[in-house]
Amino acid sequence: MKKLIIAILLCGLIFTAGTKSASAQIQLKEVAISGTSSKTVITKKVSDSFEELFKGAVAPEWIEANKNFIVNFILDNQKNKAEFTRGGRLLYLIVYGKEKEMPADLRTIVKSTYFDYGINSTIKINFEGRTFWIVNLEDANHFVVLRVEDGDMDVIKKIKKI
C-alpha cells in the first residue's frame, strides 16, 4: 500500500511539473516594420510593348523582378499578369477567369468528362508560344484541377472532400 501511494504521488508530481513547463509562455520583443512605397520605373520599350499588346488595360501595377518587369492589370473585366524583358518582349501572360470566359470548345472537352462538376475558376497561360488552361472543378465529393492543352486534358490533382 505504501508503494502504491508513493507511486501515485510521484506520478502526480511528474504530471504537475510537465504541465508547468508546457504552459510556459515566451514574451517576444515588439518589432515595428516600416517601409516606403516606390513606383517601379519601366523602360520605354516595355511601356510601348504593353500598350500595343493590351489596349484598354486598366490599373497596371508594375514590379521589377530579376531584371524583368511584371505587371498586374485588368483587361475585359479579368485579372491579368504578364512579364516583359527590359527590351519589351513578352515572356508570359496569365489570365484569370471563370467558366463564362472559357472558349466553348474547351468547356465542351471538360464537361464531356466532368459533366456533374461545376467550374470554379480558370487560368489561361500563354508561355513560349503555347497556350494551356488550368481548370478548377468541384462536385459534392471532390475538387479536381485539370490542365488542358490542344484538346488534351490531364488531371493535375484530385482531392476528396472530407
Side-chain angles (χ1 to χ4, degrees):
M1 182 73 170
K2 207 176 196 182
K3 288 183 181 180
L4 183 60
I5 293 173
I6 291 173
I8 292 173
L9 287 174
L10 187 58
C11 285
L13 200 74
I14 291 172
F15 178 74
T16 305
T19 304
K20 284 183 182 176
S21 65
S23 66
Q25 292 182 352
I26 299 172
Q27 185 70 27
L28 298 175
K29 291 181 182 178
E30 188 173 314
V31 177
I33 299 173
S34 63
T36 58
S37 173
S38 64
K39 293 194 175 219
T40 301
V41 178
I42 60 172
T43 66
K44 177 157 177 37
K45 288 181 180 180
V46 171
S47 176
D48 291 346
S49 182
F50 175 76
E51 289 177 16
E52 182 181 323
L53 291 170
F54 305 109
K55 290 178 183 12
V58 179
E61 294 178 5
W62 292 92
I63 302 165
E64 187 172 1
N66 297 328
K67 298 182 182 180
N68 290 329
F69 296 101
I70 298 172
V71 60
N72 294 302
F73 60 98
I74 306 293
L75 183 63
D76 299 328
N77 292 321
Q78 289 182 277
K79 289 183 179 181
N80 291 260
K81 178 179 284 213
E83 183 172 354
F84 290 88
T85 63
R86 287 192 173 282
R89 185 171 62 90
L90 178 66
L91 295 175
Y92 67 81
L93 170 65
I94 301 172
V95 182
Y96 302 91
K98 300 283 185 189
E99 180 176 0
K100 67 181 180 180
E101 285 95 19
M102 291 174 66
D105 60 332
L106 177 68
R107 188 179 310 110
T108 301
I109 291 168
V110 172
K111 288 291 195 171
S112 68
T113 303
Y114 295 94
F115 46 86
D116 286 337
Y117 285 71
I119 298 174
N120 291 336
S121 64
T122 62
I123 302 171
K124 178 182 175 185
I125 303 168
N126 293 333
F127 178 68
E128 294 183 352
R130 297 171 49 199
T131 299
F132 55 96
W133 291 75
I134 305 297
V135 182
N136 296 296
L137 305 167
E138 179 181 5
D139 76 353
N141 300 314
H142 297 93
F143 293 105
V144 178
V145 180
L146 303 175
R147 183 182 142 292
V148 184
E149 181 179 15
D150 296 330
D152 294 326
M153 184 170 57
D154 299 311
V155 176
I156 295 174
K157 191 160 212 144
K158 186 172 187 175
I159 302 169
K160 184 171 178 63
K161 291 183 179 179
I162 299 175

